[in-house]
Amino acid sequence: MAAEPAVTGTTELLSLALSRPYEALERAQDLLAAGLPPLEASVARQAIGIVLREFGDIGAAVEELRAARALARASGSAEREADVLATLGVALVFAGRTASGRNALNTAAQRSTGLLRGRILLRRGGVLLALGEHRSALRDLNAAIAVLRLEGDLLWEARAQTERAFCALALGSVRSAVTGLRRAEELFARTGQELESADAIVHRGVLAHRIGDLPAALSWFDAAAERFAGLGAADPALSAHRCAALLAAGLAEEALGEADAEIDRLERVRGAPLKRAELLLTAAECALAAGRPAVARDRARSAAQLFERQRRPWWRVHARLVLTQAQFAAGPPGEALLKDAARCAADLDALSSSRVPLSRLVAGQIALALGRTGEADKHLGVAAGARLRGPALSRTAGWLAEALRAEAVGDHRRLMRACRRGLELINEHRATLGSSELRAQATAHGAELARLAQRHALRLNRPRLLLAWSERWRAGALAVPPVRPPDDEELQADLAAMRMVTSRLAEAQAQGLPTGALRREQLRLERAARDRARRAHGGDRVEPFTFDLPRLRAELGERLLLELVDVAGELHVLVCDGAGPVRMVAAGHTEQAARQVDLVRFALTRLAHGRSTLTPQQLLGQLDVAGRVLERLLLGDAVSLLGDREVVIVPPGRLHAVPWALLPALRERVVSVAPSAAFWLRARGRGDEGTGVALIRGPGLPSEGAEVAHLARELGDAAVVLGGGTATVTRVLAAMDGARLAHIAAHGDFRTDSPLLSSLRVDDGPLTVYDLERIRRAPRQVVLSSCDSGRAHAAGTDELLGLAVSLMQLGTTAMVASVVPVNDVAVVPLMIALHRELRAGAGLPAALSAARRVGAGDPVATATGWSFLCFGAG
């Protein structure tokens, strides 16, 4: 009687190994310790090997499976030995010993019949899929499914359906993949396999990514990560898939960091060389997208070498493609690189890879760089075929190829049509995204198209055409209406918890207490909020782009529009007024201008806070000289066209933080700054005036928000006043919603690492951009009087993320904010003067210009006035 439970126990172990791995491991070890005959001991060892393999300890898994095979042989059961041999073959391939693993699988298949043969063919098909031999894998998997269905083996059929679905995806058949995964999910739901049910969630994410639904993909991957964490398991494949989704979202640096972290983890545990090679390739793709070609080249080369040793030709040729891209990006290209690119494209074509269009695009770009237009057209013609099918981002690459072909032969109409269609697809893609961060980052996919069109307009010396294309690119955010996220209770809970932890952290720091645990919890909550926001879907509505120059001229009237355009690192100023033609003036180098902006912002900060051995007057003199240099770099001879008119400036995203009032030609002038001319025009046309004034004072200001108290006395019951404990996030948002004017005096925290977590400090903690996005009707005008709340982070190509930008995208028409950390005490008289001008009927830009005169003669007050900008249209 004692032997009976042991037999039953070992029979269940193999299914437990993938459903409840810890339980399987414990039971197998207990049964082995109690003593088992060879047949049952073989099952127990095999179960342990499977668990170790899934947990990433491949070396230990191989040793267990070898012991299991020896026990199976000792038992005299040929069927038992074949089954273990197949499992061992899979582990050997995962260990990078491809030839030995394939030989083991082939031998096991030859020695098996019936149901066992179906299961072994599934395992061999899965290995062939991992090795990139998709057609051979499909043959094995089709045969396996036929046998398993006939035998009524639901669990193993579910596994085979999953593998076959991924074969279909690799061969470009999304419909077959959808059908297969649905069938697999149905079968898994009837079996209760925990690890494999987590895998099924990953598979849904992969499918969502492949069909272009990034929010759904990220949501599924996050859900899968939670499931694996609950099981105490890690899945390198999940990391690779999530990195690919982040890459598609334009978050290249974040994707690279995640890939590197998983590679490091695999190296520490000596896990799955196959997965390590795949992650190296993923990291190479991420580094390439992040503009780090040297890193991409090294990772791609290491991946290719590993794939060669593992005898994985499909993967190796994909690594060669990334290596070719990295070498081209590092430049300059030579004939040898063109030959490599052409061979790589031919090899991918032979494999029926979905990367064929990309490989042909790369080969075509290299050929163009070498002046080989005939060869370039051949490659680009193939790549251009992708513009008519597939997800939006894939078609965008096809339109880029078509645009390059047109440029090579000087076909103006075809070039512009291709660029226009490609950018329209980018907006279609952005419309599916509910996250403002993902929307901004997504613009990176259209950067080359925009540059092509701008370069062509510059080459033709057509300022009006260059203005239209610069607007088409910059106004992309307007083509996709802002999405107010739904009332996500979990997101609000994360944000509330984050505020509480941030407050506790500040208290702990003030008291000199340990803060490590609080910092870790803060980071966890920040990541949770960010990930949850990224899962939001967009509205799928795109407004067609129109550039109405006559309407713009009519609205400008006597004003002058200066739109700065960066083409190939050189700044050009497009000058437009209410009557004459659009004019173009060459200015300086973008990099030099950006460095000078950093220098003057640093000098303004030193002057505002007394951090210099020089006297304030000496610092002011230095700033005057620096401002003249900056003026020449940014405006060139366009200064001579200004006259005495008001100016609207539209800078590139890279130069959003210029303190324009520092430039001599602009110091006494009414100036407003806008992200695009189309935004300025839309803001001017907003009919909703808003009602009431909100005055908000945050804690910890050296000035104690003195201007808020002063303004409250002057406005009386006409204002909602919050502060001293009443300025909570909920109340602040309610006061801002629909207001005519919101004045907020609160410390700001600008986050370059995560711009949407940039915040204003109110009484119950940080009020973030995620909070602001809940406002249903943005305040018409906003004044942010403290810190450097006007700063933003350049994302994608020419998009910005930050507090001020988010409010303008939600509907705020004009905003005064600083791009330099200001002296809060010096701000008070400036703000009081600003509001006095507003009450007298001045618009916000004119009010700011007049308020600056209050500080005339005082270096700190002068620097404070220069630090503030008026964004939007007053």
Side-chain angles (χ1 to χ4, degrees):
M1 293 293 293
E4 186 65 25
V7 173
T8 303
T10 56
T11 301
E12 295 173 350
L13 283 176
L14 295 180
S15 59
L16 278 177
L18 290 174
S19 62
R20 299 194 293 277
Y22 285 109
E23 182 181 339
L25 189 63
E26 184 177 354
R27 285 178 60 175
Q29 290 169 340
D30 288 347
L31 288 167
L32 286 169
L36 291 173
L39 184 66
E40 286 81 0
S42 168
V43 175
R45 293 283 185 190
Q46 184 182 8
I48 293 172
I50 291 170
V51 172
L52 292 171
R53 182 193 70 196
E54 293 302 308
F55 284 2
D57 194 346
I58 303 300
V62 168
E63 292 306 311
E64 285 290 340
L65 292 169
R66 281 183 171 146
R69 184 188 180 190
L71 287 164
R73 183 177 296 167
S75 75
S77 171
E79 192 172 83
R80 174 99 280 278
E81 184 180 357
D83 189 52
V84 176
L85 186 58
T87 306
L88 175 60
V90 174
L92 286 168
V93 172
F94 278 13
R97 299 174 58 185
T98 308
S100 298
R102 293 184 68 166
N103 287 338
L105 282 160
N106 292 339
T107 301
Q110 291 165 4
R111 294 179 180 178
S112 60
T113 58
L115 177 59
L116 179 60
R117 178 170 174 79
R119 292 179 172 183
I120 290 174
L121 286 175
L122 160 59
R123 281 174 272 186
R124 189 171 71 178
V127 163
L128 291 170
L129 174 62
L131 295 174
E133 298 183 24
H134 300 119
R135 298 194 186 281
S136 297
L138 193 58
R139 283 194 294 272
D140 271 358
L141 293 168
N142 284 336
I145 288 170
V147 172
L148 296 167
R149 186 174 293 166
L150 183 65
E151 297 286 345
D153 191 334
L154 300 184
L155 174 58
W156 284 76
E157 186 192 341
R159 294 167 178 167
Q161 290 282 3
T162 300
E163 299 286 18
R164 189 168 70 172
F166 277 96
C167 257
L169 272 180
L171 294 170
S173 178
V174 174
R175 185 173 299 174
S176 296
V178 170
T179 302
L181 287 178
R182 281 179 180 163
R183 172 66 176 164
E185 284 184 49
E186 291 170 6
L187 296 172
F188 277 130
R190 295 159 63 182
T191 57
Q193 294 290 304
E194 291 188 12
L195 268 177
E196 288 177 292
S197 68
D199 281 331
I201 298 173
V202 177
H203 303 153
R204 295 185 72 169
V206 173
L207 184 59
H209 180 201
R210 184 61 64 92
I211 64 177
D213 190 348
L214 274 178
L218 291 169
S219 181
W220 287 120
F221 293 149
D222 288 345
E226 289 179 15
R227 183 73 65 86
F228 279 116
L231 293 170
D235 183 16
L238 170 59
S239 292
H241 293 315
R242 180 175 157 80
C243 287
L246 291 172
L247 198 56
L251 300 167
E253 286 288 355
E254 184 175 339
L256 177 59
E258 185 156 330
D260 283 345
E262 183 61 17
I263 290 167
D264 290 344
R265 188 192 70 80
L266 286 176
E267 287 177 346
R268 286 196 306 273
V269 302
R270 297 183 180 179
L274 259 70
K275 294 302 179 185
R276 180 172 174 272
E278 293 169 22
L279 280 162
L280 279 168
L281 175 56
T282 298
E285 292 173 323
C286 298
L288 186 65
R292 298 164 64 179
V295 175
R297 183 184 57 217
D298 293 343
R299 305 288 170 80
R301 185 174 287 128
S302 296
Q305 290 168 350
L306 273 176
F307 291 138
E308 177 72 19
R309 288 202 295 272
Q310 294 167 359
R311 301 187 184 184
R312 302 169 73 186
W314 188 92
W315 287 94
R316 182 174 178 272
V317 71
H318 283 76
R320 281 171 45 209
L321 171 60
V322 180
L323 180 59
T324 301
Q325 290 176 277
Q327 290 171 328
F328 179 46
E335 291 292 335
L337 185 60
L338 178 57
K339 289 178 182 177
D340 287 346
R343 279 195 297 269
C344 184
D347 290 345
L348 286 166
D349 197 25
L351 292 167
S352 300
S353 169
S354 60
R355 294 297 182 93
V356 169
L358 175 59
S359 68
R360 294 291 183 180
L361 174 61
V362 173
Q365 289 173 310
I366 295 171
L368 283 177
L370 294 172
R372 304 276 290 276
T373 54
E375 187 170 355
D377 189 68
K378 180 183 71 174
H379 289 298
L380 294 173
V382 176
R387 71 192 188 279
L388 304 176
R389 60 185 180 275
L393 293 184
S394 299
R395 285 184 283 153
T396 299
W399 282 113
L400 174 58
E402 179 68 7
L404 289 169
R405 292 178 77 199
E407 184 186 43
V409 297
D411 190 332
H412 166 75
R413 288 181 179 275
R414 195 167 129 220
L415 168 62
M416 291 308 189
R417 177 176 178 272
C419 292
R420 183 176 65 253
R421 287 292 295 118
L423 292 181
E424 286 170 355
L425 284 170
I426 292 295
N427 281 339
E428 285 181 23
H429 169 65
R430 295 174 74 196
T432 67
L433 306 173
S435 161
S436 52
E437 178 188 20
L438 296 190
R439 285 182 167 195
Q441 297 289 1
T443 61
H445 296 290
E448 185 59 29
L449 285 163
R451 285 194 289 263
L452 264 177
Q454 290 177 326
R455 191 167 67 223
H456 187 67
L458 183 63
R459 190 162 49 239
L460 295 175
N461 193 29
R462 293 176 58 182
R464 179 169 174 167
L465 183 64
L466 181 56
L467 177 61
W469 274 95
S470 298
E471 278 299 300
R472 177 180 289 277
W473 188 230
R474 288 179 179 174
L478 301 182
V480 182
V483 174
R484 268 74 171 181
D487 291 328
D488 184 332
E489 292 182 3
E490 292 181 328
L491 175 59
Q492 302 317 316
D494 286 339
L495 292 171
M498 190 173 71
R499 283 191 284 275
M500 183 184 70
V501 168
T502 301
S503 298
R504 289 172 56 201
L505 180 60
E507 292 170 6
Q509 288 172 325
Q511 297 171 26
L513 299 174
T515 58
L518 286 170
R519 285 191 184 280
R520 287 191 294 273
E521 180 64 3
Q522 182 186 41
L523 290 172
R524 185 193 69 77
L525 289 166
E526 286 178 355
R527 179 175 180 121
R530 189 168 59 243
D531 288 347
R532 199 176 301 283
R534 287 174 180 171
R535 300 172 197 162
H537 278 80
D540 291 321
R541 181 166 62 91
V542 180
E543 296 175 1
F545 171 80
T546 55
F547 178 59
D548 193 342
L549 184 59
R551 184 176 162 227
L552 174 64
R553 282 176 164 157
E555 196 64 46
L556 282 170
E558 295 299 315
R559 300 179 188 84
L560 205 63
L561 173 76
L562 304 179
E563 182 147 336
L564 278 64
V565 183
D566 177 2
V567 182
E570 300 289 336
L571 288 172
H572 302 268
V573 186
L574 300 172
V575 184
C576 179
D577 59 18
V582 178
R583 287 165 285 182
M584 181 166 62
V585 178
H589 299 289
T590 307
E591 284 295 333
Q592 289 180 351
R595 285 197 296 270
Q596 189 69 11
V597 170
D598 290 340
L599 288 173
V600 299
R601 289 183 65 253
F602 176 68
L604 282 168
T605 303
R606 292 172 71 202
L607 180 51
H609 297 280
R611 299 170 184 165
S612 174
T613 56
L614 299 177
T615 66
Q617 205 63 45
Q618 288 172 320
L619 277 173
L620 198 64
Q622 288 185 350
L623 274 167
D624 178 66
V625 173
R628 295 178 190 280
V629 173
L630 187 57
E631 179 177 277
R632 189 69 192 165
L633 288 168
L634 292 174
L635 302 182
D637 291 336
V639 170
S640 64
L641 304 175
L642 300 184
D644 59 355
R645 290 177 284 188
E646 294 184 18
V647 171
V648 179
I649 300 175
V650 178
R654 180 86 182 277
L655 299 172
H656 75 279
V658 174
W660 293 99
L662 174 63
L663 278 56
L666 304 180
R667 286 178 191 169
E668 303 300 322
R669 193 180 302 273
V670 176
V671 176
S672 54
V673 181
S676 69
F679 174 89
W680 183 84
L681 194 57
R682 186 181 74 168
R684 292 281 299 176
R686 174 176 164 175
D688 178 14
E689 290 292 331
T691 56
V693 175
L695 300 175
I696 297 153
R697 174 174 55 85
L701 291 169
S703 67
E704 296 184 344
E707 80 268 22
V708 170
H710 180 92
L711 295 171
R713 287 193 297 273
E714 292 195 343
L715 292 171
D717 293 340
V720 174
V721 184
L722 299 174
T726 63
T728 62
V729 167
T730 301
R731 287 185 173 183
V732 168
L733 293 178
M736 293 176 69
D737 206 326
R740 175 176 59 81
L741 172 67
H743 181 111
I744 305 175
H747 279 304
D749 179 19
F750 178 69
R751 294 279 298 272
T752 56
D753 62 322
S754 188
L756 297 191
L757 286 171
S758 296
S759 60
L760 296 170
R761 192 190 308 167
V762 294
D763 286 333
D764 60 343
L767 185 155
T768 68
V769 175
Y770 292 125
D771 293 306
L772 290 173
E773 288 181 338
R774 293 161 53 199
I775 293 176
R776 297 295 161 181
R777 203 157 53 103
R780 182 178 178 85
Q781 295 183 329
V782 175
V783 177
L784 301 176
S785 64
S786 298
C787 299
D788 54 350
S789 302
R791 282 187 65 198
H793 174 71
T797 300
D798 214 15
E799 295 282 332
L800 296 171
L801 292 171
L803 284 163
V805 172
S806 293
L807 279 167
M808 288 194 291
Q809 287 176 344
L810 290 170
T812 293
T813 62
M815 174 182 304
V816 166
S818 174
V819 292
V820 174
V822 288
N823 183 315
D824 290 321
V825 174
V827 161
V828 173
L830 179 73
M831 290 296 114
I832 291 172
L834 171 76
H835 282 272
R836 184 169 58 245
E837 296 293 330
L838 288 174
R839 288 196 301 278
L844 204 54
L848 177 61
S849 178
R852 289 192 184 105
R853 300 188 190 112
V854 172
D858 180 341
V860 175
T862 299
T864 301
W866 285 347
S867 300
F868 279 89
L869 303 181
C870 182
F871 298 96

PDB file of all heavy atoms in Angstrom, residues 278-289:
ATOM      1  N   GLU A 278      18.880  36.892 -27.208  1.00  0.00           N
ATOM      2  CA  GLU A 278      17.743  37.657 -27.719  1.00  0.00           C
ATOM      3  C   GLU A 278      17.656  39.026 -27.055  1.00  0.00           C
ATOM      4  O   GLU A 278      17.344  40.031 -27.703  1.00  0.00           O
ATOM      5  CB  GLU A 278      16.453  36.870 -27.497  1.00  0.00           C
ATOM      6  CG  GLU A 278      16.357  35.592 -28.326  1.00  0.00           C
ATOM      7  CD  GLU A 278      15.212  34.696 -27.901  1.00  0.00           C
ATOM      8  OE1 GLU A 278      14.263  35.204 -27.275  1.00  0.00           O
ATOM      9  OE2 GLU A 278      15.276  33.480 -28.180  1.00  0.00           O
ATOM     10  N   LEU A 279      17.936  39.084 -25.758  1.00  0.00           N
ATOM     11  CA  LEU A 279      17.892  40.364 -25.056  1.00  0.00           C
ATOM     12  C   LEU A 279      19.025  41.287 -25.488  1.00  0.00           C
ATOM     13  O   LEU A 279      18.866  42.514 -25.508  1.00  0.00           O
ATOM     14  CB  LEU A 279      17.924  40.135 -23.546  1.00  0.00           C
ATOM     15  CG  LEU A 279      16.569  39.737 -22.951  1.00  0.00           C
ATOM     16  CD1 LEU A 279      16.753  39.099 -21.579  1.00  0.00           C
ATOM     17  CD2 LEU A 279      15.648  40.950 -22.846  1.00  0.00           C
ATOM     18  N   LEU A 280      20.170  40.714 -25.823  1.00  0.00           N
ATOM     19  CA  LEU A 280      21.254  41.537 -26.368  1.00  0.00           C
ATOM     20  C   LEU A 280      20.825  42.200 -27.668  1.00  0.00           C
ATOM     21  O   LEU A 280      21.125  43.373 -27.922  1.00  0.00           O
ATOM     22  CB  LEU A 280      22.510  40.690 -26.597  1.00  0.00           C
ATOM     23  CG  LEU A 280      23.385  40.428 -25.371  1.00  0.00           C
ATOM     24  CD1 LEU A 280      24.419  39.346 -25.680  1.00  0.00           C
ATOM     25  CD2 LEU A 280      24.094  41.714 -24.935  1.00  0.00           C
ATOM     26  N   LEU A 281      20.106  41.448 -28.502  1.00  0.00           N
ATOM     27  CA  LEU A 281      19.594  42.020 -29.744  1.00  0.00           C
ATOM     28  C   LEU A 281      18.578  43.115 -29.446  1.00  0.00           C
ATOM     29  O   LEU A 281      18.600  44.191 -30.063  1.00  0.00           O
ATOM     30  CB  LEU A 281      18.966  40.923 -30.602  1.00  0.00           C
ATOM     31  CG  LEU A 281      18.276  41.381 -31.897  1.00  0.00           C
ATOM     32  CD1 LEU A 281      19.228  42.182 -32.770  1.00  0.00           C
ATOM     33  CD2 LEU A 281      17.729  40.173 -32.653  1.00  0.00           C
ATOM     34  N   THR A 282      17.687  42.865 -28.482  1.00  0.00           N
ATOM     35  CA  THR A 282      16.719  43.887 -28.083  1.00  0.00           C
ATOM     36  C   THR A 282      17.426  45.139 -27.579  1.00  0.00           C
ATOM     37  O   THR A 282      17.064  46.268 -27.935  1.00  0.00           O
ATOM     38  CB  THR A 282      15.798  43.332 -26.984  1.00  0.00           C
ATOM     39  OG1 THR A 282      15.067  42.221 -27.493  1.00  0.00           O
ATOM     40  CG2 THR A 282      14.823  44.400 -26.501  1.00  0.00           C
ATOM     41  N   ALA A 283      18.460  44.948 -26.747  1.00  0.00           N
ATOM     42  CA  ALA A 283      19.210  46.095 -26.221  1.00  0.00           C
ATOM     43  C   ALA A 283      19.878  46.874 -27.349  1.00  0.00           C
ATOM     44  O   ALA A 283      19.949  48.107 -27.311  1.00  0.00           O
ATOM     45  CB  ALA A 283      20.251  45.620 -25.207  1.00  0.00           C
ATOM     46  N   ALA A 284      20.361  46.168 -28.364  1.00  0.00           N
ATOM     47  CA  ALA A 284      20.986  46.835 -29.513  1.00  0.00           C
ATOM     48  C   ALA A 284      19.968  47.711 -30.241  1.00  0.00           C
ATOM     49  O   ALA A 284      20.264  48.853 -30.615  1.00  0.00           O
ATOM     50  CB  ALA A 284      21.573  45.797 -30.467  1.00  0.00           C
ATOM     51  N   GLU A 285      18.757  47.196 -30.438  1.00  0.00           N
ATOM     52  CA  GLU A 285      17.702  47.973 -31.096  1.00  0.00           C
ATOM     53  C   GLU A 285      17.343  49.205 -30.267  1.00  0.00           C
ATOM     54  O   GLU A 285      17.129  50.295 -30.814  1.00  0.00           O
ATOM     55  CB  GLU A 285      16.472  47.098 -31.308  1.00  0.00           C
ATOM     56  CG  GLU A 285      16.698  45.985 -32.321  1.00  0.00           C
ATOM     57  CD  GLU A 285      15.526  45.019 -32.410  1.00  0.00           C
ATOM     58  OE1 GLU A 285      14.918  44.734 -31.354  1.00  0.00           O
ATOM     59  OE2 GLU A 285      15.231  44.549 -33.511  1.00  0.00           O
ATOM     60  N   CYS A 286      17.290  49.041 -28.952  1.00  0.00           N
ATOM     61  CA  CYS A 286      16.968  50.165 -28.063  1.00  0.00           C
ATOM     62  C   CYS A 286      18.061  51.229 -28.116  1.00  0.00           C
ATOM     63  O   CYS A 286      17.772  52.430 -28.185  1.00  0.00           O
ATOM     64  CB  CYS A 286      16.788  49.672 -26.637  1.00  0.00           C
ATOM     65  SG  CYS A 286      15.428  48.514 -26.407  1.00  0.00           S
ATOM     66  N   ALA A 287      19.311  50.809 -28.059  1.00  0.00           N
ATOM     67  CA  ALA A 287      20.428  51.761 -28.097  1.00  0.00           C
ATOM     68  C   ALA A 287      20.444  52.525 -29.414  1.00  0.00           C
ATOM     69  O   ALA A 287      20.723  53.728 -29.453  1.00  0.00           O
ATOM     70  CB  ALA A 287      21.751  51.021 -27.893  1.00  0.00           C
ATOM     71  N   LEU A 288      20.123  51.834 -30.496  1.00  0.00           N
ATOM     72  CA  LEU A 288      20.078  52.488 -31.811  1.00  0.00           C
ATOM     73  C   LEU A 288      19.012  53.577 -31.815  1.00  0.00           C
ATOM     74  O   LEU A 288      19.254  54.708 -32.248  1.00  0.00           O
ATOM     75  CB  LEU A 288      19.784  51.438 -32.885  1.00  0.00           C
ATOM     76  CG  LEU A 288      19.849  51.909 -34.339  1.00  0.00           C
ATOM     77  CD1 LEU A 288      21.267  52.316 -34.723  1.00  0.00           C
ATOM     78  CD2 LEU A 288      19.359  50.793 -35.265  1.00  0.00           C
ATOM     79  N   ALA A 289      17.825  53.258 -31.304  1.00  0.00           N
ATOM     80  CA  ALA A 289      16.733  54.233 -31.262  1.00  0.00           C
ATOM     81  C   ALA A 289      17.050  55.383 -30.318  1.00  0.00           C
ATOM     82  O   ALA A 289      16.553  56.499 -30.507  1.00  0.00           O
ATOM     83  CB  ALA A 289      15.439  53.552 -30.840  1.00  0.00           C
TER      84      ALA A 289
END
